[in-house]
Amino acid sequence: MAAGAASVIGWVEVQPSAKGRDHITLRGHVLALTDAAGRFTLALTRSSKGGKSETKQGGEFKLQAGESQPLSTTTINLDEKDQLTVVLSISVDGIEVFSTTLRTL
């Protein structure tokens, strides 16, 4: 399947975590508008007074048109002064077809 024939969109879900009030759970999702198979990465960068940490998760997906699925889930602690950047990238046939970025200020 050519990358141009596949149409997907994604989003990042953010929820409080049961681990405590300073923890959040982030989950990447994909929705196939046409039959699609590919790879994804969910990259997080957190900057705090203690330094910078980076996490990257990835994998494969295969969906039929109209299907969605969660891709990756991670829970992190986040202080009110921390800065967080989350990037979800989705590729089909080695070509990035969707990307979204979530940032705290």
mmCIF file with all atom_site columns, all heavy atoms in Angstrom, residues 53-82:
data_model
loop_
_atom_site.group_PDB
_atom_site.id
_atom_site.type_symbol
_atom_site.label_atom_id
_atom_site.label_alt_id
_atom_site.label_comp_id
_atom_site.label_asym_id
_atom_site.label_entity_id
_atom_site.label_seq_id
_atom_site.pdbx_PDB_ins_code
_atom_site.Cartn_x
_atom_site.Cartn_y
_atom_site.Cartn_z
_atom_site.occupancy
_atom_site.B_iso_or_equiv
_atom_site.pdbx_formal_charge
_atom_site.auth_seq_id
_atom_site.auth_comp_id
_atom_site.auth_asym_id
_atom_site.auth_atom_id
_atom_site.pdbx_PDB_model_num
ATOM 1   N N   . SER A 1 53 ? 14.730  14.841 31.023 1.00 0.00 ? 53 SER A N   1
ATOM 2   C CA  . SER A 1 53 ? 14.595  13.414 30.773 1.00 0.00 ? 53 SER A CA  1
ATOM 3   C C   . SER A 1 53 ? 13.833  13.213 29.471 1.00 0.00 ? 53 SER A C   1
ATOM 4   O O   . SER A 1 53 ? 12.949  14.000 29.126 1.00 0.00 ? 53 SER A O   1
ATOM 5   C CB  . SER A 1 53 ? 13.881  12.709 31.928 1.00 0.00 ? 53 SER A CB  1
ATOM 6   O OG  . SER A 1 53 ? 12.567  13.193 32.061 1.00 0.00 ? 53 SER A OG  1
ATOM 7   N N   . GLU A 1 54 ? 14.207  12.174 28.753 1.00 0.00 ? 54 GLU A N   1
ATOM 8   C CA  . GLU A 1 54 ? 13.569  11.864 27.480 1.00 0.00 ? 54 GLU A CA  1
ATOM 9   C C   . GLU A 1 54 ? 13.167  10.400 27.459 1.00 0.00 ? 54 GLU A C   1
ATOM 10  O O   . GLU A 1 54 ? 13.913  9.544  27.931 1.00 0.00 ? 54 GLU A O   1
ATOM 11  C CB  . GLU A 1 54 ? 14.507  12.166 26.311 1.00 0.00 ? 54 GLU A CB  1
ATOM 12  C CG  . GLU A 1 54 ? 14.879  13.623 26.206 1.00 0.00 ? 54 GLU A CG  1
ATOM 13  C CD  . GLU A 1 54 ? 15.818  13.926 25.058 1.00 0.00 ? 54 GLU A CD  1
ATOM 14  O OE1 . GLU A 1 54 ? 16.729  13.122 24.789 1.00 0.00 ? 54 GLU A OE1 1
ATOM 15  O OE2 . GLU A 1 54 ? 15.612  14.968 24.422 1.00 0.00 ? 54 GLU A OE2 1
ATOM 16  N N   . THR A 1 55 ? 12.002  10.144 26.909 1.00 0.00 ? 55 THR A N   1
ATOM 17  C CA  . THR A 1 55 ? 11.487  8.789  26.757 1.00 0.00 ? 55 THR A CA  1
ATOM 18  C C   . THR A 1 55 ? 10.920  8.662  25.355 1.00 0.00 ? 55 THR A C   1
ATOM 19  O O   . THR A 1 55 ? 10.257  9.581  24.866 1.00 0.00 ? 55 THR A O   1
ATOM 20  C CB  . THR A 1 55 ? 10.359  8.501  27.779 1.00 0.00 ? 55 THR A CB  1
ATOM 21  O OG1 . THR A 1 55 ? 10.851  8.732  29.086 1.00 0.00 ? 55 THR A OG1 1
ATOM 22  C CG2 . THR A 1 55 ? 9.851   7.093  27.664 1.00 0.00 ? 55 THR A CG2 1
ATOM 23  N N   . LYS A 1 56 ? 11.174  7.521  24.719 1.00 0.00 ? 56 LYS A N   1
ATOM 24  C CA  . LYS A 1 56 ? 10.651  7.296  23.377 1.00 0.00 ? 56 LYS A CA  1
ATOM 25  C C   . LYS A 1 56 ? 10.138  5.866  23.297 1.00 0.00 ? 56 LYS A C   1
ATOM 26  O O   . LYS A 1 56 ? 10.854  4.926  23.652 1.00 0.00 ? 56 LYS A O   1
ATOM 27  C CB  . LYS A 1 56 ? 11.742  7.533  22.339 1.00 0.00 ? 56 LYS A CB  1
ATOM 28  C CG  . LYS A 1 56 ? 11.262  7.581  20.925 1.00 0.00 ? 56 LYS A CG  1
ATOM 29  C CD  . LYS A 1 56 ? 12.425  7.950  20.019 1.00 0.00 ? 56 LYS A CD  1
ATOM 30  C CE  . LYS A 1 56 ? 11.956  8.358  18.658 1.00 0.00 ? 56 LYS A CE  1
ATOM 31  N NZ  . LYS A 1 56 ? 13.078  8.735  17.803 1.00 0.00 ? 56 LYS A NZ  1
ATOM 32  N N   . GLN A 1 57 ? 8.896   5.727  22.869 1.00 0.00 ? 57 GLN A N   1
ATOM 33  C CA  . GLN A 1 57 ? 8.296   4.413  22.675 1.00 0.00 ? 57 GLN A CA  1
ATOM 34  C C   . GLN A 1 57 ? 7.829   4.320  21.236 1.00 0.00 ? 57 GLN A C   1
ATOM 35  O O   . GLN A 1 57 ? 7.497   5.333  20.621 1.00 0.00 ? 57 GLN A O   1
ATOM 36  C CB  . GLN A 1 57 ? 7.101   4.219  23.612 1.00 0.00 ? 57 GLN A CB  1
ATOM 37  C CG  . GLN A 1 57 ? 7.461   4.317  25.070 1.00 0.00 ? 57 GLN A CG  1
ATOM 38  C CD  . GLN A 1 57 ? 6.238   4.220  25.975 1.00 0.00 ? 57 GLN A CD  1
ATOM 39  O OE1 . GLN A 1 57 ? 5.105   4.285  25.522 1.00 0.00 ? 57 GLN A OE1 1
ATOM 40  N NE2 . GLN A 1 57 ? 6.479   4.062  27.251 1.00 0.00 ? 57 GLN A NE2 1
ATOM 41  N N   . GLY A 1 58 ? 7.807   3.126  20.703 1.00 0.00 ? 58 GLY A N   1
ATOM 42  C CA  . GLY A 1 58 ? 7.370   2.962  19.322 1.00 0.00 ? 58 GLY A CA  1
ATOM 43  C C   . GLY A 1 58 ? 6.907   1.552  19.045 1.00 0.00 ? 58 GLY A C   1
ATOM 44  O O   . GLY A 1 58 ? 7.064   0.653  19.880 1.00 0.00 ? 58 GLY A O   1
ATOM 45  N N   . GLY A 1 59 ? 6.348   1.372  17.881 1.00 0.00 ? 59 GLY A N   1
ATOM 46  C CA  . GLY A 1 59 ? 5.880   0.053  17.484 1.00 0.00 ? 59 GLY A CA  1
ATOM 47  C C   . GLY A 1 59 ? 5.132   0.117  16.177 1.00 0.00 ? 59 GLY A C   1
ATOM 48  O O   . GLY A 1 59 ? 5.207   1.102  15.444 1.00 0.00 ? 59 GLY A O   1
ATOM 49  N N   . GLU A 1 60 ? 4.416   -0.957 15.889 1.00 0.00 ? 60 GLU A N   1
ATOM 50  C CA  . GLU A 1 60 ? 3.690   -1.083 14.636 1.00 0.00 ? 60 GLU A CA  1
ATOM 51  C C   . GLU A 1 60 ? 2.188   -1.131 14.886 1.00 0.00 ? 60 GLU A C   1
ATOM 52  O O   . GLU A 1 60 ? 1.744   -1.455 15.980 1.00 0.00 ? 60 GLU A O   1
ATOM 53  C CB  . GLU A 1 60 ? 4.125   -2.359 13.911 1.00 0.00 ? 60 GLU A CB  1
ATOM 54  C CG  . GLU A 1 60 ? 5.588   -2.356 13.538 1.00 0.00 ? 60 GLU A CG  1
ATOM 55  C CD  . GLU A 1 60 ? 6.021   -3.622 12.823 1.00 0.00 ? 60 GLU A CD  1
ATOM 56  O OE1 . GLU A 1 60 ? 5.213   -4.573 12.700 1.00 0.00 ? 60 GLU A OE1 1
ATOM 57  O OE2 . GLU A 1 60 ? 7.173   -3.656 12.373 1.00 0.00 ? 60 GLU A OE2 1
ATOM 58  N N   . PHE A 1 61 ? 1.417   -0.818 13.861 1.00 0.00 ? 61 PHE A N   1
ATOM 59  C CA  . PHE A 1 61 ? -0.033  -0.933 13.911 1.00 0.00 ? 61 PHE A CA  1
ATOM 60  C C   . PHE A 1 61 ? -0.532  -1.393 12.549 1.00 0.00 ? 61 PHE A C   1
ATOM 61  O O   . PHE A 1 61 ? 0.134   -1.222 11.530 1.00 0.00 ? 61 PHE A O   1
ATOM 62  C CB  . PHE A 1 61 ? -0.696  0.400  14.296 1.00 0.00 ? 61 PHE A CB  1
ATOM 63  C CG  . PHE A 1 61 ? -0.557  1.462  13.248 1.00 0.00 ? 61 PHE A CG  1
ATOM 64  C CD1 . PHE A 1 61 ? -1.509  1.608  12.255 1.00 0.00 ? 61 PHE A CD1 1
ATOM 65  C CD2 . PHE A 1 61 ? 0.544   2.307  13.247 1.00 0.00 ? 61 PHE A CD2 1
ATOM 66  C CE1 . PHE A 1 61 ? -1.367  2.584  11.275 1.00 0.00 ? 61 PHE A CE1 1
ATOM 67  C CE2 . PHE A 1 61 ? 0.690   3.287  12.274 1.00 0.00 ? 61 PHE A CE2 1
ATOM 68  C CZ  . PHE A 1 61 ? -0.272  3.417  11.290 1.00 0.00 ? 61 PHE A CZ  1
ATOM 69  N N   . LYS A 1 62 ? -1.697  -1.989 12.547 1.00 0.00 ? 62 LYS A N   1
ATOM 70  C CA  . LYS A 1 62 ? -2.378  -2.379 11.314 1.00 0.00 ? 62 LYS A CA  1
ATOM 71  C C   . LYS A 1 62 ? -3.872  -2.276 11.575 1.00 0.00 ? 62 LYS A C   1
ATOM 72  O O   . LYS A 1 62 ? -4.384  -2.915 12.494 1.00 0.00 ? 62 LYS A O   1
ATOM 73  C CB  . LYS A 1 62 ? -2.011  -3.805 10.900 1.00 0.00 ? 62 LYS A CB  1
ATOM 74  C CG  . LYS A 1 62 ? -2.620  -4.221 9.582  1.00 0.00 ? 62 LYS A CG  1
ATOM 75  C CD  . LYS A 1 62 ? -2.130  -5.590 9.145  1.00 0.00 ? 62 LYS A CD  1
ATOM 76  C CE  . LYS A 1 62 ? -2.729  -5.917 7.781  1.00 0.00 ? 62 LYS A CE  1
ATOM 77  N NZ  . LYS A 1 62 ? -2.239  -7.213 7.284  1.00 0.00 ? 62 LYS A NZ  1
ATOM 78  N N   . LEU A 1 63 ? -4.545  -1.427 10.791 1.00 0.00 ? 63 LEU A N   1
ATOM 79  C CA  . LEU A 1 63 ? -5.971  -1.154 11.011 1.00 0.00 ? 63 LEU A CA  1
ATOM 80  C C   . LEU A 1 63 ? -6.734  -1.162 9.699  1.00 0.00 ? 63 LEU A C   1
ATOM 81  O O   . LEU A 1 63 ? -6.183  -0.834 8.648  1.00 0.00 ? 63 LEU A O   1
ATOM 82  C CB  . LEU A 1 63 ? -6.152  0.222  11.656 1.00 0.00 ? 63 LEU A CB  1
ATOM 83  C CG  . LEU A 1 63 ? -5.535  0.444  13.024 1.00 0.00 ? 63 LEU A CG  1
ATOM 84  C CD1 . LEU A 1 63 ? -5.596  1.909  13.396 1.00 0.00 ? 63 LEU A CD1 1
ATOM 85  C CD2 . LEU A 1 63 ? -6.243  -0.401 14.053 1.00 0.00 ? 63 LEU A CD2 1
ATOM 86  N N   . GLN A 1 64 ? -8.009  -1.475 9.805  1.00 0.00 ? 64 GLN A N   1
ATOM 87  C CA  . GLN A 1 64 ? -8.911  -1.327 8.674  1.00 0.00 ? 64 GLN A CA  1
ATOM 88  C C   . GLN A 1 64 ? -9.559  0.050  8.764  1.00 0.00 ? 64 GLN A C   1
ATOM 89  O O   . GLN A 1 64 ? -9.594  0.666  9.833  1.00 0.00 ? 64 GLN A O   1
ATOM 90  C CB  . GLN A 1 64 ? -9.969  -2.421 8.681  1.00 0.00 ? 64 GLN A CB  1
ATOM 91  C CG  . GLN A 1 64 ? -9.381  -3.797 8.439  1.00 0.00 ? 64 GLN A CG  1
ATOM 92  C CD  . GLN A 1 64 ? -10.456 -4.871 8.410  1.00 0.00 ? 64 GLN A CD  1
ATOM 93  O OE1 . GLN A 1 64 ? -11.598 -4.646 8.791  1.00 0.00 ? 64 GLN A OE1 1
ATOM 94  N NE2 . GLN A 1 64 ? -10.070 -6.055 7.951  1.00 0.00 ? 64 GLN A NE2 1
ATOM 95  N N   . ALA A 1 65 ? -10.084 0.513  7.658  1.00 0.00 ? 65 ALA A N   1
ATOM 96  C CA  . ALA A 1 65 ? -10.733 1.831  7.623  1.00 0.00 ? 65 ALA A CA  1
ATOM 97  C C   . ALA A 1 65 ? -11.790 1.937  8.714  1.00 0.00 ? 65 ALA A C   1
ATOM 98  O O   . ALA A 1 65 ? -12.587 1.020  8.914  1.00 0.00 ? 65 ALA A O   1
ATOM 99  C CB  . ALA A 1 65 ? -11.367 2.067  6.259  1.00 0.00 ? 65 ALA A CB  1
ATOM 100 N N   . GLY A 1 66 ? -11.744 3.033  9.473  1.00 0.00 ? 66 GLY A N   1
ATOM 101 C CA  . GLY A 1 66 ? -12.707 3.280  10.535 1.00 0.00 ? 66 GLY A CA  1
ATOM 102 C C   . GLY A 1 66 ? -12.297 2.745  11.891 1.00 0.00 ? 66 GLY A C   1
ATOM 103 O O   . GLY A 1 66 ? -12.936 3.061  12.887 1.00 0.00 ? 66 GLY A O   1
ATOM 104 N N   . GLU A 1 67 ? -11.240 1.940  11.957 1.00 0.00 ? 67 GLU A N   1
ATOM 105 C CA  . GLU A 1 67 ? -10.772 1.402  13.232 1.00 0.00 ? 67 GLU A CA  1
ATOM 106 C C   . GLU A 1 67 ? -9.808  2.369  13.907 1.00 0.00 ? 67 GLU A C   1
ATOM 107 O O   . GLU A 1 67 ? -9.082  3.109  13.244 1.00 0.00 ? 67 GLU A O   1
ATOM 108 C CB  . GLU A 1 67 ? -10.031 0.076  13.044 1.00 0.00 ? 67 GLU A CB  1
ATOM 109 C CG  . GLU A 1 67 ? -10.905 -1.085 12.682 1.00 0.00 ? 67 GLU A CG  1
ATOM 110 C CD  . GLU A 1 67 ? -10.123 -2.385 12.605 1.00 0.00 ? 67 GLU A CD  1
ATOM 111 O OE1 . GLU A 1 67 ? -8.947  -2.383 12.179 1.00 0.00 ? 67 GLU A OE1 1
ATOM 112 O OE2 . GLU A 1 67 ? -10.696 -3.403 12.984 1.00 0.00 ? 67 GLU A OE2 1
ATOM 113 N N   . SER A 1 68 ? -9.811  2.341  15.230 1.00 0.00 ? 68 SER A N   1
ATOM 114 C CA  . SER A 1 68 ? -8.820  3.099  16.001 1.00 0.00 ? 68 SER A CA  1
ATOM 115 C C   . SER A 1 68 ? -8.244  2.176  17.054 1.00 0.00 ? 68 SER A C   1
ATOM 116 O O   . SER A 1 68 ? -8.844  1.149  17.392 1.00 0.00 ? 68 SER A O   1
ATOM 117 C CB  . SER A 1 68 ? -9.446  4.332  16.650 1.00 0.00 ? 68 SER A CB  1
ATOM 118 O OG  . SER A 1 68 ? -10.373 3.956  17.640 1.00 0.00 ? 68 SER A OG  1
ATOM 119 N N   . GLN A 1 69 ? -7.086  2.544  17.560 1.00 0.00 ? 69 GLN A N   1
ATOM 120 C CA  . GLN A 1 69 ? -6.485  1.764  18.634 1.00 0.00 ? 69 GLN A CA  1
ATOM 121 C C   . GLN A 1 69 ? -5.504  2.616  19.417 1.00 0.00 ? 69 GLN A C   1
ATOM 122 O O   . GLN A 1 69 ? -4.908  3.546  18.873 1.00 0.00 ? 69 GLN A O   1
ATOM 123 C CB  . GLN A 1 69 ? -5.780  0.515  18.103 1.00 0.00 ? 69 GLN A CB  1
ATOM 124 C CG  . GLN A 1 69 ? -4.426  0.760  17.468 1.00 0.00 ? 69 GLN A CG  1
ATOM 125 C CD  . GLN A 1 69 ? -3.751  -0.535 17.017 1.00 0.00 ? 69 GLN A CD  1
ATOM 126 O OE1 . GLN A 1 69 ? -4.356  -1.336 16.331 1.00 0.00 ? 69 GLN A OE1 1
ATOM 127 N NE2 . GLN A 1 69 ? -2.521  -0.719 17.388 1.00 0.00 ? 69 GLN A NE2 1
ATOM 128 N N   . PRO A 1 70 ? -5.363  2.300  20.716 1.00 0.00 ? 70 PRO A N   1
ATOM 129 C CA  . PRO A 1 70 ? -4.306  2.949  21.495 1.00 0.00 ? 70 PRO A CA  1
ATOM 130 C C   . PRO A 1 70 ? -2.961  2.395  21.036 1.00 0.00 ? 70 PRO A C   1
ATOM 131 O O   . PRO A 1 70 ? -2.860  1.219  20.671 1.00 0.00 ? 70 PRO A O   1
ATOM 132 C CB  . PRO A 1 70 ? -4.624  2.558  22.936 1.00 0.00 ? 70 PRO A CB  1
ATOM 133 C CG  . PRO A 1 70 ? -5.494  1.359  22.852 1.00 0.00 ? 70 PRO A CG  1
ATOM 134 C CD  . PRO A 1 70 ? -6.168  1.395  21.520 1.00 0.00 ? 70 PRO A CD  1
ATOM 135 N N   . LEU A 1 71 ? -1.955  3.239  21.025 1.00 0.00 ? 71 LEU A N   1
ATOM 136 C CA  . LEU A 1 71 ? -0.634  2.836  20.544 1.00 0.00 ? 71 LEU A CA  1
ATOM 137 C C   . LEU A 1 71 ? 0.355   2.590  21.673 1.00 0.00 ? 71 LEU A C   1
ATOM 138 O O   . LEU A 1 71 ? 1.073   1.609  21.667 1.00 0.00 ? 71 LEU A O   1
ATOM 139 C CB  . LEU A 1 71 ? -0.069  3.919  19.617 1.00 0.00 ? 71 LEU A CB  1
ATOM 140 C CG  . LEU A 1 71 ? -0.875  4.178  18.358 1.00 0.00 ? 71 LEU A CG  1
ATOM 141 C CD1 . LEU A 1 71 ? -0.354  5.414  17.652 1.00 0.00 ? 71 LEU A CD1 1
ATOM 142 C CD2 . LEU A 1 71 ? -0.840  2.966  17.453 1.00 0.00 ? 71 LEU A CD2 1
ATOM 143 N N   . SER A 1 72 ? 0.421   3.500  22.603 1.00 0.00 ? 72 SER A N   1
ATOM 144 C CA  . SER A 1 72 ? 1.416   3.438  23.656 1.00 0.00 ? 72 SER A CA  1
ATOM 145 C C   . SER A 1 72 ? 0.907   4.228  24.848 1.00 0.00 ? 72 SER A C   1
ATOM 146 O O   . SER A 1 72 ? 0.250   5.252  24.680 1.00 0.00 ? 72 SER A O   1
ATOM 147 C CB  . SER A 1 72 ? 2.724   4.052  23.147 1.00 0.00 ? 72 SER A CB  1
ATOM 148 O OG  . SER A 1 72 ? 3.716   4.021  24.134 1.00 0.00 ? 72 SER A OG  1
ATOM 149 N N   . THR A 1 73 ? 1.210   3.738  26.050 1.00 0.00 ? 73 THR A N   1
ATOM 150 C CA  . THR A 1 73 ? 0.780   4.408  27.269 1.00 0.00 ? 73 THR A CA  1
ATOM 151 C C   . THR A 1 73 ? 1.976   4.561  28.202 1.00 0.00 ? 73 THR A C   1
ATOM 152 O O   . THR A 1 73 ? 2.761   3.629  28.355 1.00 0.00 ? 73 THR A O   1
ATOM 153 C CB  . THR A 1 73 ? -0.314  3.591  27.989 1.00 0.00 ? 73 THR A CB  1
ATOM 154 O OG1 . THR A 1 73 ? -1.408  3.414  27.097 1.00 0.00 ? 73 THR A OG1 1
ATOM 155 C CG2 . THR A 1 73 ? -0.792  4.293  29.249 1.00 0.00 ? 73 THR A CG2 1
ATOM 156 N N   . THR A 1 74 ? 2.096   5.728  28.798 1.00 0.00 ? 74 THR A N   1
ATOM 157 C CA  . THR A 1 74 ? 3.146   5.951  29.784 1.00 0.00 ? 74 THR A CA  1
ATOM 158 C C   . THR A 1 74 ? 2.618   6.874  30.874 1.00 0.00 ? 74 THR A C   1
ATOM 159 O O   . THR A 1 74 ? 1.753   7.710  30.622 1.00 0.00 ? 74 THR A O   1
ATOM 160 C CB  . THR A 1 74 ? 4.425   6.529  29.137 1.00 0.00 ? 74 THR A CB  1
ATOM 161 O OG1 . THR A 1 74 ? 5.475   6.543  30.084 1.00 0.00 ? 74 THR A OG1 1
ATOM 162 C CG2 . THR A 1 74 ? 4.208   7.932  28.609 1.00 0.00 ? 74 THR A CG2 1
ATOM 163 N N   . THR A 1 75 ? 3.130   6.700  32.077 1.00 0.00 ? 75 THR A N   1
ATOM 164 C CA  . THR A 1 75 ? 2.767   7.554  33.208 1.00 0.00 ? 75 THR A CA  1
ATOM 165 C C   . THR A 1 75 ? 4.025   8.243  33.708 1.00 0.00 ? 75 THR A C   1
ATOM 166 O O   . THR A 1 75 ? 5.069   7.605  33.859 1.00 0.00 ? 75 THR A O   1
ATOM 167 C CB  . THR A 1 75 ? 2.135   6.719  34.340 1.00 0.00 ? 75 THR A CB  1
ATOM 168 O OG1 . THR A 1 75 ? 0.939   6.106  33.834 1.00 0.00 ? 75 THR A OG1 1
ATOM 169 C CG2 . THR A 1 75 ? 1.783   7.579  35.539 1.00 0.00 ? 75 THR A CG2 1
ATOM 170 N N   . ILE A 1 76 ? 3.924   9.547  33.929 1.00 0.00 ? 76 ILE A N   1
ATOM 171 C CA  . ILE A 1 76 ? 5.070   10.323 34.411 1.00 0.00 ? 76 ILE A CA  1
ATOM 172 C C   . ILE A 1 76 ? 4.631   11.221 35.558 1.00 0.00 ? 76 ILE A C   1
ATOM 173 O O   . ILE A 1 76 ? 3.451   11.545 35.685 1.00 0.00 ? 76 ILE A O   1
ATOM 174 C CB  . ILE A 1 76 ? 5.706   11.178 33.297 1.00 0.00 ? 76 ILE A CB  1
ATOM 175 C CG1 . ILE A 1 76 ? 4.710   12.230 32.783 1.00 0.00 ? 76 ILE A CG1 1
ATOM 176 C CG2 . ILE A 1 76 ? 6.222   10.320 32.165 1.00 0.00 ? 76 ILE A CG2 1
ATOM 177 C CD1 . ILE A 1 76 ? 5.337   13.291 31.927 1.00 0.00 ? 76 ILE A CD1 1
ATOM 178 N N   . ASN A 1 77 ? 5.608   11.611 36.374 1.00 0.00 ? 77 ASN A N   1
ATOM 179 C CA  . ASN A 1 77 ? 5.327   12.636 37.371 1.00 0.00 ? 77 ASN A CA  1
ATOM 180 C C   . ASN A 1 77 ? 5.620   13.985 36.740 1.00 0.00 ? 77 ASN A C   1
ATOM 181 O O   . ASN A 1 77 ? 6.529   14.124 35.931 1.00 0.00 ? 77 ASN A O   1
ATOM 182 C CB  . ASN A 1 77 ? 6.120   12.408 38.655 1.00 0.00 ? 77 ASN A CB  1
ATOM 183 C CG  . ASN A 1 77 ? 7.607   12.542 38.447 1.00 0.00 ? 77 ASN A CG  1
ATOM 184 O OD1 . ASN A 1 77 ? 8.160   12.038 37.469 1.00 0.00 ? 77 ASN A OD1 1
ATOM 185 N ND2 . ASN A 1 77 ? 8.275   13.209 39.353 1.00 0.00 ? 77 ASN A ND2 1
ATOM 186 N N   . LEU A 1 78 ? 4.815   14.973 37.102 1.00 0.00 ? 78 LEU A N   1
ATOM 187 C CA  . LEU A 1 78 ? 4.928   16.287 36.483 1.00 0.00 ? 78 LEU A CA  1
ATOM 188 C C   . LEU A 1 78 ? 4.632   17.345 37.521 1.00 0.00 ? 78 LEU A C   1
ATOM 189 O O   . LEU A 1 78 ? 3.513   17.440 38.029 1.00 0.00 ? 78 LEU A O   1
ATOM 190 C CB  . LEU A 1 78 ? 3.949   16.399 35.306 1.00 0.00 ? 78 LEU A CB  1
ATOM 191 C CG  . LEU A 1 78 ? 4.103   17.596 34.393 1.00 0.00 ? 78 LEU A CG  1
ATOM 192 C CD1 . LEU A 1 78 ? 5.435   17.550 33.655 1.00 0.00 ? 78 LEU A CD1 1
ATOM 193 C CD2 . LEU A 1 78 ? 2.960   17.647 33.402 1.00 0.00 ? 78 LEU A CD2 1
ATOM 194 N N   . ASP A 1 79 ? 5.629   18.136 37.855 1.00 0.00 ? 79 ASP A N   1
ATOM 195 C CA  . ASP A 1 79 ? 5.481   19.251 38.791 1.00 0.00 ? 79 ASP A CA  1
ATOM 196 C C   . ASP A 1 79 ? 4.934   20.450 38.025 1.00 0.00 ? 79 ASP A C   1
ATOM 197 O O   . ASP A 1 79 ? 5.134   20.573 36.818 1.00 0.00 ? 79 ASP A O   1
ATOM 198 C CB  . ASP A 1 79 ? 6.853   19.575 39.406 1.00 0.00 ? 79 ASP A CB  1
ATOM 199 C CG  . ASP A 1 79 ? 6.778   20.657 40.454 1.00 0.00 ? 79 ASP A CG  1
ATOM 200 O OD1 . ASP A 1 79 ? 6.472   20.329 41.611 1.00 0.00 ? 79 ASP A OD1 1
ATOM 201 O OD2 . ASP A 1 79 ? 7.022   21.829 40.112 1.00 0.00 ? 79 ASP A OD2 1
ATOM 202 N N   . GLU A 1 80 ? 4.281   21.353 38.716 1.00 0.00 ? 80 GLU A N   1
ATOM 203 C CA  . GLU A 1 80 ? 3.683   22.525 38.065 1.00 0.00 ? 80 GLU A CA  1
ATOM 204 C C   . GLU A 1 80 ? 4.711   23.404 37.354 1.00 0.00 ? 80 GLU A C   1
ATOM 205 O O   . GLU A 1 80 ? 4.374   24.133 36.423 1.00 0.00 ? 80 GLU A O   1
ATOM 206 C CB  . GLU A 1 80 ? 2.891   23.357 39.059 1.00 0.00 ? 80 GLU A CB  1
ATOM 207 C CG  . GLU A 1 80 ? 3.742   23.957 40.165 1.00 0.00 ? 80 GLU A CG  1
ATOM 208 C CD  . GLU A 1 80 ? 2.921   24.678 41.216 1.00 0.00 ? 80 GLU A CD  1
ATOM 209 O OE1 . GLU A 1 80 ? 1.882   24.167 41.616 1.00 0.00 ? 80 GLU A OE1 1
ATOM 210 O OE2 . GLU A 1 80 ? 3.361   25.765 41.623 1.00 0.00 ? 80 GLU A OE2 1
ATOM 211 N N   . LYS A 1 81 ? 5.976   23.334 37.732 1.00 0.00 ? 81 LYS A N   1
ATOM 212 C CA  . LYS A 1 81 ? 7.009   24.148 37.092 1.00 0.00 ? 81 LYS A CA  1
ATOM 213 C C   . LYS A 1 81 ? 7.742   23.403 35.971 1.00 0.00 ? 81 LYS A C   1
ATOM 214 O O   . LYS A 1 81 ? 8.554   23.985 35.271 1.00 0.00 ? 81 LYS A O   1
ATOM 215 C CB  . LYS A 1 81 ? 8.018   24.631 38.130 1.00 0.00 ? 81 LYS A CB  1
ATOM 216 C CG  . LYS A 1 81 ? 7.393   25.586 39.136 1.00 0.00 ? 81 LYS A CG  1
ATOM 217 C CD  . LYS A 1 81 ? 8.394   26.069 40.144 1.00 0.00 ? 81 LYS A CD  1
ATOM 218 C CE  . LYS A 1 81 ? 7.722   26.970 41.162 1.00 0.00 ? 81 LYS A CE  1
ATOM 219 N NZ  . LYS A 1 81 ? 8.639   27.417 42.191 1.00 0.00 ? 81 LYS A NZ  1
ATOM 220 N N   . ASP A 1 82 ? 7.461   22.111 35.812 1.00 0.00 ? 82 ASP A N   1
ATOM 221 C CA  . ASP A 1 82 ? 8.097   21.325 34.754 1.00 0.00 ? 82 ASP A CA  1
ATOM 222 C C   . ASP A 1 82 ? 7.544   21.723 33.390 1.00 0.00 ? 82 ASP A C   1
ATOM 223 O O   . ASP A 1 82 ? 6.410   22.185 33.271 1.00 0.00 ? 82 ASP A O   1
ATOM 224 C CB  . ASP A 1 82 ? 7.844   19.827 34.956 1.00 0.00 ? 82 ASP A CB  1
ATOM 225 C CG  . ASP A 1 82 ? 8.523   19.272 36.194 1.00 0.00 ? 82 ASP A CG  1
ATOM 226 O OD1 . ASP A 1 82 ? 9.326   19.992 36.812 1.00 0.00 ? 82 ASP A OD1 1
ATOM 227 O OD2 . ASP A 1 82 ? 8.237   18.113 36.537 1.00 0.00 ? 82 ASP A OD2 1
#
